[in-house]
Amino acid sequence: MRFFSDNAASVHPAVLEAVSAANAPDTAYDGDAISARLDTAFSDLFETQVSALWVATGTAANCLALAALCPPYRGTLCANDAHINQDEAGAPEFYSGGGKLITVDAPGSKLTPALVEARLGMIANDVHRTQAAAMSITNATEYGLSYTPAEVAALGELAKARKLRFHMDGARFANAAVHAGASPADLTWRAGVDALSFGFVKNGGLSSEALILFNRNLAEEVKVRRKRAGHLNSKGRFLAAQLLALLKDDLWLANARAANNGAARLAAAAGDRLLFPVQANELFLRMTVSEAADLRAQGFQFYDWAEGEVRFVVSWDQDSREIDALAKALSAL
Amino acid sequence: MRFFSDNAASVHPAVLEAVSAANAPDTAYDGDAISARLDTAFSDLFETQVSALWVATGTAANCLALAALCPPYRGTLCANDAHINQDEAGAPEFYSGGGKLITVDAPGSKLTPALVEARLGMIANDVHRTQAAAMSITNATEYGLSYTPAEVAALGELAKARKLRFHMDGARFANAAVHAGASPADLTWRAGVDALSFGFVKNGGLSSEALILFNRNLAEEVKVRRKRAGHLNSKGRFLAAQLLALLKDDLWLANARAANNGAARLAAAAGDRLLFPVQANELFLRMTVSEAADLRAQGFQFYDWAEGEVRFVVSWDQDSREIDALAKALSAL
Amino acid sequence: MRFFSDNAASVHPAVLEAVSAANAPDTAYDGDAISARLDTAFSDLFETQVSALWVATGTAANCLALAALCPPYRGTLCANDAHINQDEAGAPEFYSGGGKLITVDAPGSKLTPALVEARLGMIANDVHRTQAAAMSITNATEYGLSYTPAEVAALGELAKARKLRFHMDGARFANAAVHAGASPADLTWRAGVDALSFGFVKNGGLSSEALILFNRNLAEEVKVRRKRAGHLNSKGRFLAAQLLALLKDDLWLANARAANNGAARLAAAAGDRLLFPVQANELFLRMTVSEAADLRAQGFQFYDWAEGEVRFVVSWDQDSREIDALAKALSAL
Amino acid sequence: MRFFSDNAASVHPAVLEAVSAANAPDTAYDGDAISARLDTAFSDLFETQVSALWVATGTAANCLALAALCPPYRGTLCANDAHINQDEAGAPEFYSGGGKLITVDAPGSKLTPALVEARLGMIANDVHRTQAAAMSITNATEYGLSYTPAEVAALGELAKARKLRFHMDGARFANAAVHAGASPADLTWRAGVDALSFGFVKNGGLSSEALILFNRNLAEEVKVRRKRAGHLNSKGRFLAAQLLALLKDDLWLANARAANNGAARLAAAAGDRLLFPVQANELFLRMTVSEAADLRAQGFQFYDWAEGEVRFVVSWDQDSREIDALAKALSAL
């Protein structure tokens, strides 16, 4: 029973159908009729004019955005535990031409204005220190916490005051949005976000994420950078079709809701093992080595996060019986 | 009637079926059972142990290979008209950290030992000039020419003598192999090639190319670079499945043969308009502006290559009637 | 007798005196009193407010400027024979993060609007081709040709029309200015130049070149890039002092005039061997291998430029008797 | 009275004399007779064959070494407070093409095997995490602590076991060597160090540091990287001459001893204000804002390091009366 990662989940049948349906010859790259619908589809969703680009991975979406938001000789503020800092093999430094990540120790990997201001206060304003030019938050965070619109807006105000461009890594934006019960607009551009990496692959997609540019002036540059990074697929229509299929009838929200609900059921069973409140589809639990071994012996797969800590992730397609079984097993520990 | 680019062609039904069939949960990234079969499948094809990696685009395959074959402070020899020099938006320079492409004016974009030696002779052996560390050829070339095994081997010997790593951009390797009637092994590692970008997308694939490392010591580095470039798809099994579907029963050869045959029929009709012999699925023709307009008025789509020159590309799925129509129209010009 | 390179020349005594005179403790980096005088000194010379930075080498000056003028995903137009393309070991690509040099075949390595427009016309306006964002000329050129103010201004107009930032590599700006008989202002910002690498080391300096930013908005970025490239010397006052010594009483012009005059005397002796008119301190001559050997046997040192071509450079401190001797020897060939 | 930084100190007269004495024409770049003596001079000093290169700044020396020791897709371990991490404006990331610094919280900025092993233990061995390929220590450290040969050797053994290349930033290597009373060899290559940035500018030099490569296989690459970074001065003999002047009769040790002795006198006066033992020429003291203001009112210049902490640096040329005055003032606080 897989609670290892939502990356391992299956693809939603509607996505596969859309891929098959896209299989007529059309113009290459992003010149096709399906790709042409993305700007409108996402502009409708976000209630403002956006530029929307398909890219194959969240790492590519994040790093294309960061490279456009921060010059090589400046830095991007992020949580120390942020995926961009820990799990992308140095992709941000590669894409940005050596830009530095300026890391903030943040409980639950959640930035706050106070934490960011304190970190900025440590940077002497001279030519020797890397000055910050951008800020990136992850929503939901690496520990499964969801930002409220007000929390994002507070960071957005700081960004404006400090002249920082503002990026959101939304690998699990869907799960965050479901928990927040807020509109995509309120969680992003209305709160000052310039660019969003909008994750679909973990949430029923196949090979397509969306990079949403609220600051549309960035689009020309980002499109060149996408090509230059080898991310301009020649049959882009198959990536565009995936995104449209997940937007249709709010399938992306339904999938995320299913995952979040499963996580909530497990959270109830986990009780005071929880290291963080469960606000998306991930659980971080205190657990001894022998307890973990016990669970694994029962067939549950999960990730050893740190000493005495494990991570469970509920996928959009998780079988309800698996969730019941795990909830029972956690209660029984 | 599309003769614009094989990038616009449809996906072979067997590929779509394989994608659908891959839709069970499995380990993320390239840890799944389908990706695990790639090394063996390509080792069988190439009659030697290789490392085979899926990547989304030919640009990524090319540039991952080049970055591993040439350090940032050296250069890679290639034809001036090579795709890596002209059509990848500076991706080789990006991936290599600023490595230089050392371009060679080559008829038909086909390198020969004499041309390469002459170019090397222009580089004073000092610290001011960028010294060459690698060589890249395209097979079939940008003008649709196919290398014989002996031609590749002659370049391979030069590479060995000059201590150059040797890369082949095989965006249309299938078409070249069909024309050469040679084994994949004879066209590559037996002739000294270290790494091959093996194209599948133009030839019936959806979103997966293969990067073949004959020098398997490169694999660890290239896998990190793939991640770092945002090209480690989280559901990699869907990319692996495409490649296996096209390898099965030599579907890749059948598709390429169909395209080459179509091009040969057009070549016969084009007569002395041909700028180069047709050895793959592309035709480059002399054509006046009014002739081109005439063809377009008849519904044919194609690319204006240069002043007085046009390009036609035949796809694997090109309708035979379209080929007949175009052949007839060319004859009638 | 050295006619090999003006890089090998001696340092003017006034420069050495200024270095010694600078030897009192002062604030580190460029916070000292001598560095503080640079902006004013060069603003006076150029008759406009400029930002002036010391840097140790012409390569650093060129590449700091180019990195600020052209983003990594765009290209810089230059002559194929330009120093930045041929002799800086890929420094422009390194500093710019992989920006491409877009080379123009130009007689005498001298760009003209017609040549540049023709080259631009070869770049399809799409995401696959590297679009130009900057242009760099060398004055005097790699073949010792000097631009008139009108020639620079014509390129400046083209730059403006095409939205290209405009850089001048003035490794031998002094020699060019002497020949042109024009004011530094007319040769640069009044003609549309954004940044000038102003060479002093070949012209009597020790280890300091000036990077002049007519577009002062670039200064903040360039200063960070200078630090980041390891070019913010901790005792910068010794670099600043060199520049001020050469500016004082127009010593830079006197030195350049001496070198140009020597070259003119040689040009008269070289007659129809000259490959290019002599407009600075370099001569490029047709010469057979045996003639070159003959001269070397007489004690003259010079550079084999290409097959059948040699280069002589006259330095600011060249002994008049050496020039007489070489003139005589050339006449006698 | 300047206790702000040894960067602001004067140049030793012997260095200025050597610069003047070098002023005869000679071959450009590093082809001159004086540069040619460096390898031998430093090989004698280090009792083994080394390659020794002049470079203008410590940042350049550090980053050239790091770029050669660690590929772009790996990381370099260093103390969090290391100069390369905090004070070089991202130069290591620039030179290495985006290589990551993997920082270690280390008291006194001094690495130990235990600290390094603990940090390595936090890096999962997969393609997502940046794996370490090199380690860099500063000797003396950023807090003026000196490593013993045994301490360096313990790190050298770890480096060997973990396959890490080993770099030492010796901006104040002279001060460290004086304190350790150890031979340069014992502090470096005998302890496993591959490359040393050997600082001279703070210690009486003008504009020349030495990059010492114990692993001479690195020399070819580093020389190209030096050129490519714009650090191959055209009149390199003036940089080489400075180094030879400071090596002569152990002037470098005499200068460092003078600075260390001055610091020791201040340390005695500072008593329990000392945050770290004084093992080189720097003092870090606890001090209130009003105390600092009081000292400044008496004419002492120094650096506010952190809240409640200040730094004093004693230079090689510090006037003994200034040291007496400061010692007295510290005692009187």
Side-chain angles (χ1 to χ4, degrees), chain A residues 66-84:
Chain A
L66 292 177
L69 295 177
C70 181
Y73 54 90
R74 298 291 191 206
T76 297
L77 289 151
C78 67
N80 183 46
D81 290 322
H83 196 266
I84 57 172

Side-chain angles (χ1 to χ4, degrees), chain D residues 162-280:
Chain D
R162 291 293 209 146
K163 296 189 180 165
L164 304 171
R165 313 296 273 287
F166 191 5
H167 168 254
M168 182 182 283
D169 175 356
R172 294 186 181 91
F173 182 70
N175 306 284
V178 162
H179 179 82
S183 76
D186 285 346
L187 280 170
T188 57
W189 65 272
R190 285 203 192 109
V193 171
D194 293 298
L196 168 70
S197 303
F198 191 159
F200 285 91
V201 175
K202 295 178 201 293
N203 195 31
L206 194 159
S207 66
S208 187
E209 311 278 29
L211 174 52
I212 309 298
L213 303 172
F214 302 109
N215 180 343
R216 289 190 295 155
N217 292 331
L218 299 170
E220 185 184 346
E221 171 180 346
V222 171
K223 285 178 181 178
V224 179
R225 287 187 181 273
R226 179 175 64 171
K227 168 68 194 180
R228 179 174 164 82
H231 279 286
L232 184 62
N233 279 44
S234 60
K235 295 180 176 171
R237 58 197 185 272
F238 294 101
L239 278 73
Q242 298 174 42
L243 302 180
L244 295 175
L246 284 160
L247 287 186
K248 197 180 173 202
D249 301 331
D250 288 340
L251 179 56
W252 67 287
L253 284 172
N255 285 355
R257 195 170 293 118
N260 283 14
N261 287 346
R265 284 159 61 195
L266 295 178
D272 57 10
R273 288 182 180 279
L274 285 175
L275 289 158
F276 298 99
V278 173
Q279 301 177 343

Side-chain angles (χ1 to χ4, degrees), chain D residues 143-165:
Chain D
Y143 291 99
L145 300 180
S146 171
Y147 285 84
T148 66
E151 287 171 336
V152 181
L155 288 164
E157 279 165 39
L158 180 156
K160 197 174 174 185
R162 291 293 209 146
K163 296 189 180 165
L164 304 171
R165 313 296 273 287

